[in-house]
Amino acid sequence: MKIQVIGLGSMWTKYNSTCYLIDDKIMVDFPNGACKYLYRLNIIPNTIDNIVLAHFHGDHYFDSLFIY
């Protein structure tokens, strides 16, 4: 299993909000800035198969609205 840290910050920091990528196919949360970070890793965001959301605050799901 490969786990990549996409972000460890919060909405009010210069870092991406907390989220993780598992095996390049599962995102745990999909916060603001996640799509741009995935492109930097050469991963096209709409190739993500599953998204697990911790809860429905914008800093946990906002970029998921733009991948489908």
Side-chain angles (χ1 to χ4, degrees):
M1 178 183 291
K2 178 176 133 184
I3 299 175
Q4 292 176 274
V5 177
I6 303 301
L8 283 176
S10 70
M11 185 78 166
W12 306 109
T13 66
K14 64 181 178 177
Y15 305 104
N16 284 344
S17 295
T18 301
C19 69
Y20 304 92
L21 179 63
I22 302 170
D23 293 331
D24 294 339
K25 295 293 178 186
I26 303 168
M27 284 286 284
V28 178
D29 288 335
F30 217 116
N32 54 308
C35 284
K36 288 184 180 192
Y37 195 91
L38 289 174
Y39 279 118
R40 281 187 233 133
L41 296 175
N42 293 315
I43 298 171
I44 299 169
N46 67 4
T47 63
I48 302 298
D49 290 336
N50 297 287
I51 300 170
V52 178
L53 298 177
H55 56 274
F56 293 103
H57 287 164
D59 62 330
H60 289 266
Y61 75 86
F62 189 74
D63 273 15
S64 66
L65 304 174
F66 303 105
I67 66 168
Y68 295 105

